[in-house]
Amino acid sequence: MSRTGPASRRWPKARALLAIAAASTLLASTPRPAVAFPHVVRAGETLAQIAERIYGRVEMEQLLVAANALDAGGGVPIVPGMRLEIPSVAHHRVNAGETWTSLAETLLGHPDRSDVLALSNNAMPWIAPVEGQEIRIPYNLRYVVGPGDSTLTIAYRFLGQRDKAWMLDRYNRLGGDPVRRGEVVLVPLTELELTPAGKAEAASAGALVRSEGAGRARDAQRRAEVELPQLAADLRSGRYVDAIARSNRLLGSGDLTRAQLATVHRGLVEAYVALDAQGLAETSCLLWREADPQLVLDPVELSPKILRACMSATTLGAAAPSPPLGAPAASIPTAMPGRAPGGGR
């Protein structure tokens, strides 16, 4: 009987399925701190369609292939009902005392990955993260090295730049040694922005809840970095009503870092003092002190009016609880003039 019958034709597919099972075991053996959520393939769907709907980019199809070991055994097509892992980043709110090194050890598995974690958040590794700052945690793509692969080709394929091969070398502690076929290389990915449809699918899977609000605080903090210099300009120019309105928008936009909250509430103290709104100035000074417990009221830097408001706020704070730290401040009617009567802060 011929050995080219149906059973032998099914053998390549069987080998592929065995390879997928082995890769799935490998992927499950090391937990990822970053969030991934499941997607069940529907009838008629292609990887390209899924990538475009989730990420808005068809070329992200290759990420789905790698994340789900679909290139094992020469390549396996997706079928309806197949469960895919959709890579996404996670987020973490920095606590007091945490450093890039401690965060990398906890979230990425090794302190040597602190450089990558800091750079992924547009920060410098030697400058500690700010308490309350929301940071992105890269998704650790576990890539099985194939024939002809090197850190250069892997960096270009998934990070878009061959120059980032050094990052892969350091991240995987390769020490400059070449990668070998069959090895698993971790590729830290942060450019995984989801479309509204992708966010909705992630939310339905609970991924966004587990990820500190899916970066909403981080977005608010980045907007604040842009707005704070404009707030300072409003104060310098005597546009106190505008400063109060801008401050309220910032406080209502999301969870800011403690340093950002301190800057906003300090600006509110200055604006309210200039507008002779003594009670509001005292409340804002309480919130300023709460955001910055190490605050020292410098009589050289601060005007006598601000010092008086903050001294009164100290007495007020001892007698009554202060408002929530990030609560929007009370507003001043926009009909009031831009400068306080008698001029000055």
Side-chain angles (χ1 to χ4, degrees):
M1 183 174 179
S2 170
R3 302 179 66 87
T4 60
S8 64
R9 287 197 297 270
R10 287 196 298 269
W11 174 239
K13 184 176 181 180
R15 284 191 301 178
L17 294 175
L18 286 172
I20 292 173
S24 298
T25 301
L26 178 64
L27 291 172
S29 63
T30 303
R32 295 190 186 93
V35 172
F37 57 93
H39 172 81
V40 178
V41 178
R42 304 163 189 156
E45 272 191 326
T46 65
L47 282 176
Q49 290 171 341
I50 296 171
E52 185 171 20
R53 186 174 72 254
I54 298 295
Y55 300 111
R57 293 182 287 163
V58 175
E59 62 270 21
M60 296 294 278
E61 174 185 8
Q62 66 175 344
L63 172 60
L64 298 179
V65 170
N68 292 277
L70 296 178
D71 49 356
V76 178
I78 62 173
V79 294
M82 180 183 289
R83 186 184 177 93
L84 300 177
E85 179 178 278
I86 307 297
S88 179
V89 297
H91 296 83
H92 171 78
R93 188 73 55 77
V94 176
N95 298 311
E98 287 184 322
T99 65
W100 292 118
T101 300
S102 66
L103 288 168
E105 184 170 15
T106 302
L107 302 173
L108 298 177
H110 200 280
D112 285 352
R113 293 170 182 159
S114 58
D115 289 1
V116 172
L117 183 59
L119 294 172
S120 297
N121 287 279
N122 302 315
M124 295 295 105
W126 55 87
I127 300 177
V130 178
E131 181 183 355
Q133 177 184 357
E134 187 169 273
I135 62 171
R136 288 184 299 182
I137 308 168
Y139 174 88
N140 275 341
L141 174 67
R142 296 176 62 85
Y143 178 72
V144 181
V145 178
D149 275 334
S150 67
T151 53
L152 288 169
T153 61
I154 297 170
Y156 183 74
R157 179 178 178 184
F158 294 109
L159 302 175
Q161 298 179 33
R162 296 180 186 273
D163 291 347
K164 291 187 176 180
W166 71 268
M167 178 189 293
L168 293 182
D169 184 279
R170 179 171 176 81
Y171 201 79
N172 291 274
R173 305 190 303 282
L174 298 175
D177 294 335
V179 293
R180 296 188 296 271
R181 182 176 181 178
E183 283 185 328
V184 175
V185 174
L186 295 180
V187 184
L189 302 176
T190 54
E191 301 304 320
L192 298 175
E193 183 69 26
L194 303 179
T195 64
K199 290 179 180 178
E201 187 164 341
S204 67
L208 298 192
V209 175
R210 295 193 299 270
S211 184
E212 303 254 3
R216 285 189 290 273
R218 183 174 182 273
D219 291 342
Q221 291 164 10
R222 294 179 70 181
R223 286 195 297 271
E225 289 302 315
V226 175
E227 290 272 343
L228 288 177
Q230 298 176 30
L231 173 60
D234 287 340
L235 294 168
R236 284 196 305 271
S237 302
R239 297 190 296 268
Y240 301 120
V241 172
D242 291 341
I244 292 167
R246 190 183 302 278
S247 296
N248 276 308
R249 285 199 302 271
L250 286 171
L251 293 174
S253 66
D255 294 326
L256 306 183
T257 68
R258 297 186 73 87
Q260 290 172 338
L261 286 171
T263 301
V264 172
H265 288 302
R266 185 203 184 287
L268 283 170
V269 173
E270 184 174 342
Y272 286 140
V273 161
L275 295 172
D276 286 337
Q278 180 72 13
L280 294 174
E282 292 174 1
T283 301
S284 294
C285 195
L286 277 177
L287 295 172
W288 179 16
R289 285 178 174 275
E290 187 176 344
D292 184 5
Q294 307 302 317
L295 173 64
V296 176
L297 298 174
D298 186 349
V300 175
E301 180 185 351
L302 302 175
S303 72
K305 283 188 175 182
I306 291 179
L307 291 173
R308 282 197 299 272
C310 286
M311 292 303 295
S312 299
T314 302
T315 305
L316 173 66
S322 60
L325 184 62
S331 60
I332 292 291
T334 55
M336 294 187 67
R339 289 189 176 272
R345 291 170 268 170

